Amino acid sequence: LTDIDRRTVTGLRPAWIAQTGIVGSFESTPVVLGRELYFTTPADQGRQRIVRLDSVTGEVAWQVELEAQGSEDAANEDLHLPRHFGPNRGVVAYGNRVYTGTLNGTLLALDRATGARHFEVKTASPRITGAPAAAKGRIIQGISFVDRGVVQAFDAETGALAWTWYAIPSPEEGGWWGDYVETIPGTDISLGRDIAWERANRARLAEGWKTGGASAPMTPTIDGDRGLAFV
């Protein structure tokens, strides 16, 4: 890589091109481990693929094709991103497996060597577009197309649900109102809040937590030393 600089970059040529036969918005970041190259295709006409290529030759080592299981759900209510079509952002490699969220709202674990399925488990989402993260025996998946923002973690070996975290806590979890502060704590930067309006509407919006909190479609960032996931 040190041979590639401003003088030599114009001489670069494609080493290989792999055609998947699926069109759409490719947003998958390839994961490369030596000669193993993994990526996912967008969902197109109810099909989605998880592919392993040889990173030197571009030849297909294996590929797994998924088919959409129905379409009448939260993934296409707004007619913007129907379940049978749309992007997927890739896999995470962990141990001897690769994991990905699917167009059917499942977390799928495949064998790195063969593509054989180890497990496929349902998440809280009808449709996943983001790649998961892996740490400390957990596969952490941001969830999209749900009323209440949520992140879930699954056991990397068995697929069992380990925990679920909601962006907006329920009353039983401590409530979602927080403190009536007007600036970012420790600064004089205004939050632009109308505190009087919030207080006046607290009763009317008491159940806002049920449909509040942003989705977390992108891959969480992991601090392995501290055991923290940032979403």
Side-chain angles (χ1 to χ4, degrees):
L1 290 177
T2 58
D3 293 335
I4 302 174
D5 56 31
R6 286 181 294 178
R7 294 178 297 103
T8 61
V9 69
T10 56
L12 294 178
R13 297 293 182 269
W16 51 260
I17 296 174
Q19 299 286 1
T20 66
I22 290 182
V23 299
S25 176
F26 270 79
E27 299 183 11
S28 173
T29 300
V31 170
V32 181
L33 299 166
R35 292 186 68 153
E36 302 172 39
L37 187 155
Y38 301 94
F39 70 95
T40 58
T41 70
D44 177 59
Q45 300 303 312
R47 297 180 301 153
Q48 177 189 3
R49 291 177 187 161
I50 303 94
V51 185
R52 173 184 162 179
L53 301 180
D54 184 311
S55 64
V56 175
T57 67
E59 295 178 350
V60 176
W62 54 256
Q63 62 180 335
V64 174
E65 183 166 293
L66 308 176
E67 294 185 3
Q69 304 296 319
S71 62
E72 298 302 322
D73 51 43
N76 66 352
E77 283 179 354
D78 63 1
L79 302 180
H80 168 63
L81 193 62
R83 189 173 188 173
H84 68 274
F85 182 84
N88 185 277
R89 298 187 178 92
V91 308
V92 64
Y94 192 61
N96 63 356
R97 300 177 182 178
V98 291
Y99 302 82
T100 190
T102 76
L103 78 169
N104 292 315
T106 61
L107 178 69
L108 176 63
L110 302 173
D111 188 272
R112 277 173 54 182
T114 65
R117 299 188 186 208
H118 285 282
F119 63 74
E120 185 173 8
V121 295
K122 196 72 180 72
T123 73
S125 175
R127 163 76 178 280
I128 295 176
T129 60
K136 296 186 179 295
R138 298 285 186 260
I139 307 301
I140 304 170
Q141 178 69 65
I143 303 298
S144 298
F145 304 111
V146 288
D147 288 333
R148 187 180 173 202
V150 63
V151 177
Q152 292 187 303
F154 300 84
D155 184 275
E157 183 63 30
T158 67
L161 179 65
W163 51 258
T164 297
W165 175 86
Y166 289 99
I168 302 297
S170 69
E172 292 74 21
E173 296 165 332
W176 64 284
W177 289 100
D179 298 325
Y180 289 107
V181 296
E182 296 185 353
T183 61
I184 295 176
T187 77
D188 59 359
I189 301 173
S190 173
L191 291 170
R193 296 175 67 176
D194 185 338
I195 301 298
W197 183 93
E198 291 184 35
R199 290 183 183 277
N201 284 275
R202 179 164 179 159
R204 183 174 67 85
L205 302 175
E207 295 189 345
W209 59 272
K210 293 181 179 180
T211 54
S215 294
M218 303 306 291
T219 305
T221 297
I222 303 298
D223 182 333
D225 292 338
R226 295 177 175 83
L228 298 176
F230 296 84
V231 298

